[in-house]
Amino acid sequence: MGSGTGLWLRGDGTGRFVPVPMEQSGVRVHGEQRGCATSDFDQDGRADLVITQNGYETRLFRNLGSKPGLRVRLTGSPGNSTGVGSVLRLVYPDRRGPAREIHAGAGYWSQDSAVQVLGKAGTPSGLWVRWPGGRAMEYALPADAREVRVSPDGRMEAIEPGK
């Protein structure tokens, strides 16, 4: 029994999702998909997708079409070094961008990267983080940063991707 060819859903900004045709998404996975996770595998500022299948090899789909976003690496507290449970949002002059949560476990035997890629809709001025425990902080973004390292003590530094 096959489980289809994979389905990519895109948020429409209103809380609803619309299907993206295979020809547009580039995702075509025949058979029984078991798990998937996102990570910027090639450190180019675009979230890539890995899919595992029951009885088949793992597939990696490199994102070549989107604009690069901001890579965010949290330095959490002892015992939670990647900041699991934190929520991230880019800050713009008139709004905040979509929320992204750092979580441990994303599905069947899979887990998204702790380094998040936040898509940019314009030029963000800052990064808002709600740390585990509820403390919210806003950080000013360094100009032209491709990746930042952020800590709950108020420090943010621009770093080279993957360092």
Side-chain angles (χ1 to χ4, degrees):
M1 288 182 46
S3 297
T5 57
L7 175 62
W8 188 275
L9 297 172
R10 178 183 300 142
D12 67 3
T14 67
R16 293 189 167 89
F17 295 91
V18 294
V20 177
M22 280 183 280
E23 298 77 23
Q24 188 179 10
S25 72
V27 175
R28 183 183 305 250
V29 182
H30 295 279
E32 187 176 346
Q33 299 90 33
R34 281 295 183 176
C36 67
T38 61
S39 178
D40 184 6
F41 289 94
D42 52 9
Q43 301 171 2
D44 66 353
R46 298 174 180 100
D48 303 306
L49 176 69
V50 65
I51 298 175
T52 60
Q53 294 181 266
N54 192 21
Y56 291 92
E57 62 188 31
T58 298
R59 308 262 318 262
L60 172 63
F61 293 89
R62 287 186 55 220
N63 181 348
L64 302 174
S66 68
K67 294 187 311 187
L70 176 69
R71 291 171 48 94
V72 178
R73 182 182 303 267
L74 299 183
T75 303
S77 59
N80 185 4
S81 62
T82 59
V84 170
S86 298
V87 177
L88 314 169
R89 298 177 88 161
L90 288 176
V91 177
Y92 298 91
D94 60 340
R95 70 190 186 293
R96 288 185 182 157
R100 179 72 59 85
E101 180 183 13
I102 307 289
H103 53 268
Y108 182 78
W109 285 44
S110 57
Q111 179 170 323
D112 293 335
S113 174
V115 178
Q116 296 295 301
V117 177
L118 302 180
K120 297 178 190 174
T123 304
S125 58
L127 175 71
W128 178 88
V129 179
R130 186 181 67 222
W131 293 93
R135 182 176 170 202
M137 300 180 73
E138 193 167 310
Y139 303 80
L141 282 178
D144 300 322
R146 293 177 40 214
E147 181 171 336
V148 293
R149 182 180 297 132
V150 184
S151 62
D153 63 5
R155 289 181 292 145
M156 172 188 276
E157 63 179 327
I159 58 175
E160 287 298 315
K163 301 288 179 180

